[in-house]
Amino acid sequence: WRYKVGADYSFAQGVEPAQGLSGPVGQDAWLLPVEQYRKLPGVEDATRVGDYVALPARGDLPKMRLLGVDRLDLPRVIYWRDEYAPESLGELLNHLAQPNGLLVTRKFLEQSTLALGDTLELSALMEEGGQQMSFVITGVFDQFPTMYEDEATVVIANLDYVFDQCGGAQPHSIWLRTQPDVDPWQLRQDI
């Protein structure tokens, strides 16, 4: 379940829940600073994660699921196992220090004939329409929580870069690390 959710608890406020996921919906609540969620009873830490559909400029590449992550907060929250990537989570996320850095799966690299250092142009579908973004492939992974390769090709980017390219914050999810004894129903009410 942690792999499916990504963390102990995740939700998207202010947007309709993603297929198969549920969460509270509140008008513009996604604009709250992530620090507000860290103050909730039973919450140890929180991070932002954007989940968007992206279309590559190259017509021979598949539609993608673009995950935008906060590279500094994510390691404290995410459910992670060492076998998900050829390097540690910290090293992997350091590749996103290059603002337009992009992490892709090894399988994608093999099938696309792209390599580390290559540029990949994506059009991310946002509420206002498509937003063209240019990325440089900086790292590889094999698995990432919430990713199922038979459903979509997943790529991971720096969330702040995605927001900058779109002219500001976009709807996104909040992932939480919670205390082991937290009551999920009470947490939902607190949120």
Side-chain angles (χ1 to χ4, degrees):
W1 280 105
R2 283 185 181 155
Y3 185 86
K4 183 175 184 172
V5 175
D8 293 336
Y9 194 95
S10 67
F11 63 93
Q13 287 194 331
V15 294
E16 290 300 316
Q19 182 178 359
L21 300 177
S22 63
V25 177
Q27 184 66 27
D28 294 333
W30 57 272
L31 291 172
L32 286 175
V34 72
E35 293 80 21
Q36 294 297 317
Y37 298 108
R38 293 182 181 130
K39 296 176 184 177
L40 295 173
V43 173
E44 293 179 355
D45 214 332
T47 191
R48 305 167 301 158
V49 177
D51 193 343
Y52 313 105
V53 173
L55 304 173
R58 262 183 53 182
D60 63 326
L61 297 178
K63 177 173 71 171
M64 299 177 180
R65 183 172 166 224
L66 173 64
L67 289 179
V69 301
D70 184 321
R71 71 180 194 88
L72 298 177
D73 291 343
L74 186 72
R76 298 189 310 264
V77 176
I78 194 171
Y79 169 71
W80 186 259
R81 296 175 56 123
D82 290 339
E83 63 262 21
Y84 292 170
E87 53 192 337
S88 73
L89 178 62
E91 291 171 321
L92 189 66
L93 294 176
N94 278 342
H95 295 303
L96 297 181
Q98 178 176 332
N100 66 338
L102 189 71
L103 308 177
V104 300
T105 65
R106 281 194 265 201
K107 182 178 178 181
F108 172 77
L109 278 184
E110 292 168 4
Q111 293 175 343
S112 68
T113 68
L114 291 168
L116 290 175
D118 286 349
T119 300
L120 183 61
E121 301 289 333
L122 298 176
S123 180
L125 304 181
M126 302 293 177
E127 288 185 340
E128 296 82 29
Q131 179 61 49
Q132 193 71 23
M133 298 180 204
S134 181
F135 293 97
V136 174
I137 299 173
T138 56
V140 296
F141 61 96
D142 296 309
Q143 291 179 276
F144 200 85
T146 74
M147 175 187 123
Y148 295 92
E149 277 193 301
D150 58 331
E151 294 176 6
T153 298
V154 173
V155 294
I156 301 164
N158 184 317
L159 185 63
D160 288 330
Y161 175 75
V162 172
F163 287 174
D164 287 347
Q165 297 302 297
C166 295
Q170 300 295 310
H172 57 274
S173 297
I174 303 294
W175 289 12
L176 303 175
R177 163 98 33 200
T178 60
Q179 295 171 354
D181 60 347
V182 72
D183 177 352
W185 302 111
Q186 183 59 51
L187 180 57
R188 182 180 172 101
Q189 292 304 310
D190 293 341
I191 291 168

